[in-house]
Amino acid sequence: MDLKDYNIDMKKIPKHVAIIMDGNGRWAKKRLMPRTAGHKVGVERVRDIIKAVDKLNIKYLTLYAFSTENWKRPSDEVGVLMQLLANYLKKEIDELDRKNVRIRVLGELDRIPKKVREEIEKAIIRTKDNDNIVLNIALNYGSRLEIIRAVKNIVEDCSNEKLDIERLDEEKFKEYLYTEDQPDPDLMIRTSGEQRLSNFLLYQLAYSEFIFTETAWPDFTEDEFFKAIELYQNRNRRFGDIK
Ligand code: FPP
């Protein structure tokens, strides 16, 4: 199927799409494979979705790759996830750069293994001036911690007189989040049937449309993504208004 086979209005494309890539483990288990096999196939879907985002001219894509809670998983699985991310960046960085993708990380890199961290830092620096797509990788990310971090920085800036508390409003507060100057997601997709936010972008998703699909992330192809965009375009976004 080609983009023209879908009922997508190119004038109503969401600016920012955020995705909770869930279900890798269950997908693998169903096939009697180790959970990590699901993560490996999941990386292929990351590749597909970035291509689809490029075709649709979506400007911001946020992928939930690893939460602050994911450290509780067995260390082998954590190790594989970190390795997959490093390999992905090593292998794909030329292509991402060619597509004019800017890589950013939402989360704290301090706990990320050194080799992986170096790969990420290299990718961030190399792509810092790219301006076609922003790819946010939420890594060691937790939304409550993000908000607490923002509050701490605000208090510090107030005490250094860099910020006047009277000037703190929603727009100003946003600048203290990892997403800083980026627009809020218009659409949040979670794969694999769970209907919850799992500490993902709690502030930024206030007015976003949510799509929950039964499809597990390793099966979430370009076709599934385009269908999600069709669904999104049929929603009526009012932002509290009545029209
Ligand atoms: C959720 O499935 C998925 C994750 C915790 C990791 C997602 C990571 C990748 C797809 C690979 C690396 C990322 C990038 C950006 C290259 P789960 O393990 O929670 O599945 P389950 O709910 O079935 O157990």
Side-chain angles (χ1 to χ4, degrees):
M1 291 262 274
D2 203 52
L3 183 51
K4 64 177 180 344
D5 299 318
Y6 297 83
N7 208 351
I8 292 177
D9 180 351
M10 290 303 282
K11 289 190 289 298
K12 275 173 43 191
I13 293 294
K15 252 204 187 115
H16 186 169
V17 177
I19 308 182
I20 303 180
M21 310 179 285
D22 197 13
N24 294 346
R26 277 166 286 164
W27 181 92
K29 208 175 154 206
K30 236 187 185 166
R31 288 160 181 77
L32 307 176
M33 295 195 285
R35 292 176 52 81
T36 50
H39 297 316
K40 281 192 192 120
V41 179
V43 176
E44 292 171 26
R45 293 296 89 76
V46 169
R47 225 169 266 142
D48 294 349
I49 296 311
I50 289 170
K51 271 191 211 142
V53 158
D54 194 28
K55 285 185 197 168
L56 290 178
N57 209 15
I58 291 169
K59 291 294 163 195
Y60 299 84
L61 174 68
T62 300
L63 299 176
Y64 206 176
F66 196 89
S67 74
T68 46
E69 288 73 33
N70 285 149
W71 296 108
K72 293 181 208 149
R73 296 191 175 195
S75 61
D76 299 7
E77 185 174 338
V78 171
V80 169
L81 278 170
M82 292 296 157
Q83 198 52 52
L84 282 174
L85 179 65
N87 290 348
Y88 169 78
L89 289 174
K90 227 185 257 171
K91 229 177 118 194
E92 295 290 315
I93 190 66
D94 288 338
E95 178 60 16
L96 290 167
D97 199 18
R98 201 186 58 73
K99 282 197 168 78
N100 203 2
V101 175
R102 176 176 179 188
I103 294 166
R104 298 186 59 164
V105 164
L106 315 182
E108 294 301 319
L109 285 178
D110 55 346
R111 246 185 113 176
I112 305 299
K114 188 160 170 276
K115 280 240 162 70
V116 181
R117 196 170 64 222
E118 284 170 355
E119 212 54 61
I120 297 167
E121 282 164 348
K122 233 169 44 191
I124 293 174
I125 292 169
R126 174 163 165 191
T127 62
K128 71 176 173 26
D129 296 322
N130 290 351
D131 60 4
N132 181 29
I133 300 167
V134 172
L135 170 62
N136 292 314
I137 303 174
L139 185 66
N140 187 22
Y141 174 85
S143 184
R144 287 183 175 177
L145 268 180
E146 176 187 36
I147 292 169
I148 291 167
R149 169 183 172 274
V151 172
K152 283 183 176 164
N153 287 332
I154 287 168
V155 170
E156 194 180 307
D157 282 358
C158 285
S159 60
N160 295 335
E161 290 180 16
K162 271 207 262 177
L163 174 70
D164 171 2
I165 196 67
E166 294 306 321
R167 279 186 43 233
L168 184 66
D169 56 11
E170 290 184 16
E171 276 311 299
K172 196 78 207 158
F173 189 84
K174 267 185 66 160
E175 291 172 20
Y176 285 86
L177 299 172
Y178 291 123
T179 38
E180 296 177 348
D181 52 344
Q182 303 183 27
D184 289 335
D186 305 287
L187 168 63
M188 190 286 301
I189 301 171
R190 182 172 189 150
T191 60
S192 206
E194 310 299 349
Q195 303 197 3
R196 53 176 171 262
L197 277 183
S198 301
N199 206 12
F200 186 50
L201 304 175
L202 301 178
Y203 191 89
Q204 295 90 333
L205 293 175
Y207 280 103
S208 312
E209 294 296 327
F210 291 176
I211 291 180
F212 298 101
T213 166
E214 291 298 322
T215 306
W217 179 252
D219 289 329
F220 197 79
T221 54
E222 177 177 88
D223 177 56
E224 295 275 337
F225 186 71
F226 288 160
K227 283 180 185 152
I229 300 300
E230 284 181 337
L231 246 176
Y232 162 82
Q233 291 190 334
N234 283 320
R235 301 264 177 101
N236 181 6
R237 302 188 78 196
R238 288 189 296 272
F239 300 96
D241 205 339
I242 54 172
K243 57 175 176 300

